[in-house]
């Protein structure tokens, strides 16, 4: 069927998705709180008898916080939702050549009818795994990390045109962006309201030849770009 034996169901170059073809299978559009992001109360606030600071507890908490920032799960494998991984939003970064493939499924049959959403990834991908999902498959991806419902970061005004998904307000600043010099309609961009990857998640999208201009709203959740020249904020 294609890369890694699977092809993202909506990875159709030269076809605008809205009203024609879904960028991915399924009908998920609901967001979810990221699994494994809750932190306990700081041990540094605890005191030993005599009013002394509990330094051991502080060190242990520091180690726990560092561990919490490590990968939630590996980039290769089948993961049962609820037992292997928690429902929530996850991110994988640094993927190259479209070799990263992921899939949300409603069962473990492996049949096409079980697919809820999927994608081949270059760069970064965000995916919200719902509590009603049964299986999350990942192949050839870098490790996945849990992210908050509202990701934090320093939004950029210039991004890679083949960078994948960018969280609006964290990875990329809202505004008007331009990408020039695109050829053969290989540039695809997409504005979404969540990381569900269903048809209803898409706010707008296009395949572009030449110059592309898009207005990214502060209310958008993510901006996806593949095969484009770099984007630069113009307003």
């Amino acid at each position: 069927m294609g890369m890694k034996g699977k092809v993202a169901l909506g990875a159709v170059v030269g076809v605008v998705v809205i009203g024609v073809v879904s960028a991915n299978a399924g009908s998920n559009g609901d967001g979810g709180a990221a699994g494994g992001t809750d932190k306990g109360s700081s041990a540094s606030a605890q005191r030993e008898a005599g009013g002394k600071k509990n330094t051991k507890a502080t060190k242990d908490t520091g180690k726990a916080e560092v561990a919490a920032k490590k990968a939630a799960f590996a980039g290769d494998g089948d993961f049962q939702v609820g037992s292997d991984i928690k429902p929530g939003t996850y991110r994988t970064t640094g993927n190259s050549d479209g070799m990263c493939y992921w899939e949300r499924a409603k069962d473990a049959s492996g049949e096409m009818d079980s697919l809820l959403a999927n994608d081949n990834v270059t760069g970064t991908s965000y995916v919200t795994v719902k509590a009603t999902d049964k299986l999350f498959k990942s192949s050839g991806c870098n490790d996945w990390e849990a992210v908050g419902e509202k990701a934090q970061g320093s939004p950029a005004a210039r991004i890679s045109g083949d960078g994948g998904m960018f969280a609006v307000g964290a990875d990329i600043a809202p505004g008007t962006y331009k990408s020039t010099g695109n050829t053969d309609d290989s540039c695809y961009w997409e504005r979404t309201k969540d990381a569900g990857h269903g048809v209803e998640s898409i706010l707008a999208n296009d395949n572009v030849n030449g110059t592309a201009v898009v207005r990214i709203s502060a209310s958008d959740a993510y901006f996806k770009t593949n095969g484009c020249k770099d984007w630069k904020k113009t307003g």
Side-chain angles (χ1 to χ4, degrees):
M1 293 177 60
M3 189 77 67
K4 291 286 183 178
K6 297 285 182 112
V7 174
L9 298 185
V12 182
V13 176
V15 178
V16 177
V17 173
I18 295 179
V20 183
V21 181
S22 167
N24 294 285
S27 59
N28 174 50
D30 297 337
T37 57
D38 294 338
K39 295 180 180 178
S41 59
S42 174
S44 62
Q46 299 177 2
R47 301 283 180 173
E48 293 180 336
K52 293 182 180 179
K53 186 175 180 180
N54 188 342
T55 55
K56 183 180 184 300
T58 303
K59 291 179 180 178
D60 290 344
T61 300
K63 292 178 181 178
E65 289 178 353
V66 169
K69 294 179 181 179
K70 292 183 179 179
F73 56 93
D76 284 294
D78 296 349
F79 304 92
Q80 291 183 294
V81 179
S83 56
D84 298 327
I85 63 172
K86 297 179 181 179
T89 299
Y90 297 90
R91 172 178 61 195
T92 179
T93 61
N95 300 287
S96 60
D97 302 325
M99 294 297 291
C100 167
Y101 171 82
W102 63 261
E103 173 181 309
R104 291 175 45 233
K106 62 183 179 182
D107 57 48
S109 69
E111 298 177 359
M112 291 295 291
D113 287 347
S114 71
L115 281 178
L116 296 170
N118 68 344
D119 203 5
N120 290 112
V121 178
T122 296
T124 296
S125 184
Y126 290 82
V127 182
T128 296
V129 178
K130 296 179 63 177
T132 51
D133 295 354
K134 298 301 182 182
L135 196 70
F136 184 80
K137 299 172 68 72
S138 180
S139 177
C141 302
N142 288 330
D143 290 347
W144 293 85
E145 60 178 334
V147 296
E149 192 170 345
K150 290 293 183 180
Q152 303 295 317
S154 301
R158 186 180 184 118
I159 60 169
S160 169
D162 204 32
M165 287 180 74
F166 297 87
V168 178
D171 301 327
I172 183 174
T176 299
Y177 287 79
K178 179 183 287 188
S179 172
T180 61
N182 299 293
T183 59
D184 302 325
D185 288 332
S186 59
C187 169
Y188 173 79
W189 64 260
E190 178 180 302
R191 293 171 48 228
T192 71
K193 63 182 180 181
D194 55 46
H197 295 269
V199 175
E200 69 280 8
S201 298
I202 302 172
L203 297 169
N205 67 344
D206 202 4
N207 290 111
V208 180
N209 191 43
T211 297
V213 178
V214 58
R215 174 71 181 177
I216 299 173
S217 172
S219 59
D220 294 352
Y222 300 95
F223 180 71
K224 184 176 181 179
T225 172
N226 292 116
C228 302
K229 300 296 184 182
D230 290 353
W231 294 86
K232 184 177 181 181
K233 191 171 183 289
T234 61

